[in-house]
Amino acid sequence: MTQHNLINRRTVLSGIATGSTAITCGCLSGGENTGFKPGENTLGTNGIFEDIFIDGTDLVLEFSDDSSIDHVNVIDPNGELFAERQIAAGVDRTRIEIGLEYDPGEYDIIALENDGVQTTQSVVIEPDVRITDLRLARNHPEKMFEGASDIDIRTEAIVGLENAGSGPDQAIRLAFSGEVPRPTPDEYEMSGIYDRDSDIRQESEGVEILPGEELTVYSQLMPFSESGQNVSCSPDTVEGAFQVVLETAIQEKIVSEEYSVSFTGESLGECDIQIEGQP
């Protein structure tokens, strides 16, 4: 999904920076901050950029018809050169791979002509991954992946994710803690996420979450297995709470959501497990 309007400020240089050191380190003396506000798109007014946006894991730069620049440098949040591109005459678009190993934060995109800085656009590229939904497969078998076994349906969870940020990310570890029958061991090193793209049954190494994307992942940890001994089930109903934790490759903060849960029945093998607020 394409995410447009990444610009959060626009700096137009009143002077021309000279020398490769000044360019690659981002030391752009003489710049003037125009007070560009988040969400605004005034790119067309600078005569160089028509649009800047993320497409998948690429940064896309589109140039206006009047642009005569011949070079673009991208400076990362640490002030180091992230990428550079030669822009041939007549080229109206270039793509720069961001990938899934970048530093989140503010990037400066510097447009040059004959080694002179013409303008700089600053964009924030960072993910904002969230857990948006959790359902038990046993209560929603129709929402499980194709080919799910009876054991999958009895023991696994369905987790909704969203990337509300401006940069791509990758879910690399899912874990359950608290009052679930089978919490994830701290030393567990696999992702705990079902690999939907593999022809053989295995855990995924990571699931891409692009900007603006919503997707569903499936646990491969059996957190609600009746063989677990961390909780009990009773006809009088046992109540508790558990946490779902998601680690990603880029986002610095770990994503966590807590859910209230109840267990009703004679034993875990015949237990009615309900998450508060879920059908």
Side-chain angles (χ1 to χ4, degrees):
M1 179 179 294
T2 299
Q3 180 81 8
H4 289 265
N5 299 337
L6 289 176
I7 303 301
N8 80 324
R9 67 180 173 89
R10 184 163 67 100
T11 304
V12 180
L13 300 179
S14 59
I16 296 178
T18 59
S20 60
T21 302
I23 294 172
T24 57
C25 75
C27 304
L28 304 173
S29 59
E32 178 185 355
N33 193 311
T34 64
F36 194 85
K37 297 179 180 179
E40 289 183 351
N41 186 356
T42 60
L43 290 173
T45 65
N46 64 30
I48 294 176
F49 293 109
E50 283 289 345
D51 202 359
I52 298 175
F53 59 92
I54 298 294
D55 181 22
T57 57
D58 290 347
L59 173 66
V60 181
L61 311 179
E62 292 185 347
F63 309 108
S64 67
D65 294 338
D66 298 330
S67 172
S68 58
I69 64 169
D70 52 37
H71 198 96
V72 169
N73 284 344
V74 179
I75 309 301
D76 72 13
N78 300 314
E80 299 180 356
L81 182 66
F82 178 79
E84 57 182 333
R85 292 289 186 275
Q86 298 287 339
I87 308 299
V91 171
D92 60 5
R93 171 186 282 211
T94 190
R95 303 177 74 94
I96 297 172
E97 183 181 4
I98 299 171
L100 291 167
E101 296 182 356
Y102 67 96
D103 292 323
E106 188 173 276
Y107 285 71
D108 288 330
I109 303 170
I110 307 170
L112 303 101
E113 182 180 358
N114 297 324
D115 292 330
V117 175
Q118 300 302 302
T119 190
T120 297
Q121 296 286 345
S122 294
V123 302
V124 173
I125 305 176
E126 60 183 7
D128 182 9
V129 178
R130 308 170 183 180
I131 297 171
T132 58
D133 188 39
L134 179 85
R135 295 175 187 264
L136 301 187
R138 62 170 61 207
N139 297 339
H140 300 275
E142 76 285 354
K143 295 185 179 296
M144 279 295 277
F145 56 86
E146 184 178 354
S149 68
D150 181 64
I151 293 178
D152 291 326
I153 293 171
R154 292 287 300 170
T155 64
E156 302 294 359
I158 305 166
V159 184
L161 304 178
E162 177 188 12
N163 184 353
S166 57
D169 207 339
Q170 186 178 42
I172 57 174
R173 187 173 187 269
L174 183 68
F176 292 77
S177 62
E179 292 168 287
V180 292
R182 194 167 181 259
T184 308
D186 292 339
E187 63 274 14
Y188 192 78
E189 296 182 351
M190 302 292 284
S191 71
I193 301 171
Y194 174 72
D195 189 346
R196 300 178 66 177
D197 298 324
S198 176
D199 293 332
I200 60 174
R201 188 178 186 83
Q202 63 181 17
E203 294 181 40
S204 173
E205 293 184 1
V207 178
E208 285 188 8
I209 313 175
L210 303 179
E213 185 176 23
E214 298 179 4
L215 55 80
T216 300
V217 297
Y218 306 91
S219 69
Q220 279 288 277
L221 298 160
M222 296 194 292
F224 294 93
S225 171
E226 61 191 55
S227 65
Q229 300 179 353
N230 189 57
V231 298
S232 60
C233 194
S234 168
D236 296 327
T237 302
V238 176
E239 296 183 343
F242 67 92
Q243 297 76 40
V244 181
V245 178
L246 181 76
E247 295 181 27
T248 72
I250 304 297
Q251 189 165 303
E252 295 178 354
K253 67 177 181 180
I254 294 177
V255 183
S256 178
E257 289 290 338
E258 182 170 285
Y259 297 90
S260 297
V261 62
S262 64
F263 302 86
T264 307
E266 295 291 343
S267 66
L268 277 177
E270 301 296 331
C271 196
D272 177 32
I273 306 176
Q274 295 293 331
I275 297 176
E276 183 177 334
Q278 296 288 357

